[in-house]
């Protein structure tokens, strides 16, 4: 008996053939081969108990379960259901009609109940790619899998239901969902940009960063609202399209983060890991690599508060992913690639006590302490952050008068218009969707300067000693500033504003 299931590797799934063979003998034995981990090997006890408690039967003798391909490591309890179905088919001597049309996954309880598993949307995509027309999953995962069009999804709550569907005794109806209604159920975010008092220059920089998907660094003393501002970035980002939503849902599903949080990620993620996080926690890793925080923030925001408090080694591993917008992790069994096209928002104090350069409060740090603190962030990492903005203390009048700034909806409309311009401009490119992603070849085409703009940028490069990478960042930010104004050409004042957003890295230069 041969059935089809799937194994997760990275954020993708690979089809696995579950072969069950029985040699009739008086003595019963069961062996699972095909590079199973401990959870897969232990499935024999769950499977036998589930079959017995479901009123089904299995055959005596030597039972061998082969999970092919044999060189792919199999992890987790998701193979319980196909193994149990194969054992039951051998024991009851009954063929499964159209077995090659089915893919199935599910963890079994001892009573025969089917429990949810991770990565169902990735498994559904793999089943569709392989030409399987039907997918049997735990009922708790059915709506998640049904997001994928072109495959009938059957949710089952116990082993009996799965057996009767496969054997043809029960004609079940596939799970139906209204994809448009599900996708358009954008939640109302409780945090709004109008909650931020004052900080007009910072909010302007935030809008520019959101419009071009640029990385942003906020520098200021404690209590200026850096964390509050960062948490409002998702409220001004454009809604995700269907492809982005499926990508994001797939990553969160593989990581087991959809429980209790809906079956579809229709809003952009916001991830804020603590500064004690490890390299693997930030980038991803493990024997069977799993996504890290930077990939969980894919299509959304990764917020690193108190940036110098992160280990320098941990920050340095961000350099390539921020540039390439994907993470490659190599292991002995192979390599996996995780997408990480996110907007980095970081915050830091100017010194350990936080008050260096503050006109009203005295800094208590020595020059050596300040130098050591700043050395935790390297120049190459700063070069990969497009916008650096100073966040000063909020004036009393701004706090007291209670004036309401622009709401997130108003700012988001301008951001969406700028993103639409970029989408139309880059429609024929497979390398970039926003200005921040443009490689040098596209920059030469879309970031041309007139004489005045070129002269000003040349002067800034010489006077402020910017790196070549900073030069690219300035052009990309200037292109976004022009898009926000609906201008086809980059003008001198766009370059001037973009240069102002780079000046802060000179303050941290040692």
């Amino acid at each position: 008996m041969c059935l089809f299931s799937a194994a997760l590797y990275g954020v993708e799934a690979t089809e696995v053939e579950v072969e069950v063979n029985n040699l009739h003998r008086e003595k019963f034995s069961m062996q699972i081969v095909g590079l199973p981990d401990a959870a897969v090997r232990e499935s024999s006890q769950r499977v036998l108990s589930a079959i017995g408690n479901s009123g089904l039967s299995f055959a005596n003798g030597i039972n061998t379960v082969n999970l092919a391909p044999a060189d792919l490591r199999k992890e987790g309890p998701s193979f319980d259901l196909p193994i149990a179905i194969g054992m039951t088919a051998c024991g009851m001597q009954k063929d499964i009609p159209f077995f090659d049309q089915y893919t199935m996954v599910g963890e079994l309880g001892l009573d025969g109940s089917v429990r949810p598993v991770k990565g169902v949307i990735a498994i559904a995509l793999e089943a569709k790619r392989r030409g399987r027309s039907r997918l049997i999953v735990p009922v708790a995962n059915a709506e998640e899998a049904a997001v994928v069009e072109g495959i009938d999804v059957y949710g089952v709550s116990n082993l009996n239901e799965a057996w009767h569907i496969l054997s043809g005794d029960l004609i079940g109806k596939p799970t139906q969902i209204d994809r448009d209604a599900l996708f358009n159920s954008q939640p109302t975010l409780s945090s709004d940009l109008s909650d931020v008092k004052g900080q007009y220059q910072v909010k302007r920089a935030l809008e520019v960063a959101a419009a071009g998907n640029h990385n942003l660094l906020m520098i200021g003393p404690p209590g200026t609202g850096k964390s509050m501002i960062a948490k409002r970035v998702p409220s001004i980002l454009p809604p995700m399209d269907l492809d982005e939503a499926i990508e994001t849902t797939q990553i969160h599903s593989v990581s087991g983060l959809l429980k209790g949080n809906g079956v579809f990620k229709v809003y952009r993620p916001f991830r804020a890991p603590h500064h004690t996080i490890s390299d693997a926690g930030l980038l991803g890793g493990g024997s069977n690599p799993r996504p890290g925080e930077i990939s969980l923030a894919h299509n959304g925001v990764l917020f690193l508060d108190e940036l110098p408090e992160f280990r320098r080694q941990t920050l340095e591993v961000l350099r390539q992913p921020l540039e390439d917008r994907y993470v490659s992790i190599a292991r002995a069994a192979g390599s996996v690639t995780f997408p990480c096209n996110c907007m980095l928002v970081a915050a830091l104090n100017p010194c350990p006590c936080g008050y260096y350069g503050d006109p009203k409060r005295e800094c208590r740090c020595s020059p050596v302490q300040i130098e050591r603190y700043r050395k935790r962030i390297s120049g190459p990492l700063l070069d990969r952050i497009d916008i650096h903005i100073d966040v000063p203390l909020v004036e009393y009048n701004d706090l007291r008068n209670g004036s309401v700034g622009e709401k997130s909806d108003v700012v988001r409309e301008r951001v969406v218009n700028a993103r639409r311009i970029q989408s139309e401009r880059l429609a024929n490119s497979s390398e970039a969707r926003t200005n921040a992603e443009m490689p040098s070849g596209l920059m030469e085409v879309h970031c041309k300067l007139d004489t005045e703009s070129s002269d000003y940028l040349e002067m800034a490069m010489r006077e402020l000693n910017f790196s070549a990478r900073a030069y690219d960042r300035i052009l990309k930010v200037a292109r976004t500033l022009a898009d926000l104004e609906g201008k086809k050409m980059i003008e001198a004042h766009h370059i001037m504003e973009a240069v102002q957003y780079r000046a802060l890295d000179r303050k941290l230069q040692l």
Side-chain angles (χ1 to χ4, degrees), residues 185-205:
S185 61
Q186 183 80 11
T188 301
L189 297 176
S190 57
S191 300
D192 195 277
L193 197 60
S194 61
D195 300 334
V196 181
K197 304 294 184 182
Q199 305 292 14
Y200 304 108
Q201 291 182 336
V202 181
K203 287 190 278 190
R204 164 66 173 174

Side-chain angles (χ1 to χ4, degrees), residues 46 76-82 105-109 112-117 138:
R46 294 191 297 271
S78 60
F79 300 101
D80 289 2
L81 182 60
V105 291
E107 175 185 353
L108 289 177
S113 60
V114 181
R115 296 169 177 167
V117 295

Side-chain angles (χ1 to χ4, degrees), residues 72 92 102 130 150 162 217 219 222 229 255 272 277 286 329 406 435 438 442 449 452 475 489:
L72 176 67
M92 301 182 71
Y102 287 93
R130 294 280 186 167
L217 173 65
I219 305 172
I229 292 169
S255 302
I277 192 171
I329 298 176
E406 283 188 311
N435 289 335
M438 284 193 297
L442 290 177
L449 303 178
E452 183 182 4
L475 285 179
M489 291 293 296

Side-chain angles (χ1 to χ4, degrees), residues 85 136 139 155-167 170:
I85 293 295
I136 295 180
V139 67
V156 296
S157 57
N158 55 64
L159 177 58
N160 253 319
E161 286 184 35
W163 170 251
H164 290 306
I165 289 174
L166 284 160
S167 62
L170 175 66

Side-chain angles (χ1 to χ4, degrees), residues 278-297:
S278 65
D279 299 1
L282 191 59
L283 286 189
S287 56
N288 185 9
R290 289 288 184 262
E293 289 292 329
I294 192 171
S295 293
L296 292 172

Side-chain angles (χ1 to χ4, degrees), residues 117-122 140-148 249 253-254 258 263:
V117 295
K118 299 178 183 178
V120 166
I121 194 169
N141 295 127
E143 289 189 0
E144 176 190 342
V147 169
V148 179
T249 303
S253 174
V254 166
L258 294 184
V263 298

Side-chain angles (χ1 to χ4, degrees), residues 399-465:
L399 291 173
R400 184 70 180 89
N401 62 24
S403 61
V404 178
E406 283 188 311
K407 289 189 172 295
S408 292
D409 292 344
V410 177
V411 179
R412 188 195 300 121
E413 186 175 350
R414 294 197 295 267
V415 169
V416 168
N417 287 335
R419 289 280 186 109
R420 177 182 51 78
I421 292 171
Q422 295 166 52
S423 178
E424 293 171 358
R425 181 192 303 126
L426 302 171
N428 296 324
S429 171
S430 60
E431 300 176 276
R433 291 181 291 183
T434 60
N435 289 335
E437 302 169 49
M438 284 193 297
S440 57
L442 290 177
M443 287 179 61
E444 291 178 2
V445 176
H446 301 302
C447 297
K448 295 179 179 179
L449 303 178
D450 57 22
T451 302
E452 183 182 4
S453 301
S454 180
D455 290 345
Y456 184 85
L457 181 54
E458 181 182 1
M459 181 184 68
M461 291 291 295
R462 289 179 176 175
E463 294 294 328
L464 298 175
N465 196 30

Side-chain angles (χ1 to χ4, degrees), residues 215-219 226-227 230-231 270-278 281-283 293-294 297 301-311 314-319 322 342-349 377 381 385:
N215 300 324
L216 173 71
L217 173 65
M218 294 182 286
I219 305 172
K226 299 186 295 294
S227 299
K231 291 175 182 177
F270 179 87
R271 306 293 299 183
H274 192 260
H275 60 78
T276 56
I277 192 171
S278 65
L282 191 59
L283 286 189
E293 289 292 329
I294 192 171
V301 177
L302 176 66
F303 176 47
L304 301 182
D305 199 6
E306 302 295 345
L307 191 64
E309 299 300 327
F310 287 79
R311 290 188 307 141
T314 302
L315 293 178
E316 290 305 300
V317 299
L318 285 176
R319 285 160 54 177
L322 289 177
C342 64
M343 176 180 168
L344 173 66
V345 178
L348 59 86
N349 297 329
I377 306 172
L381 179 61
I385 301 178

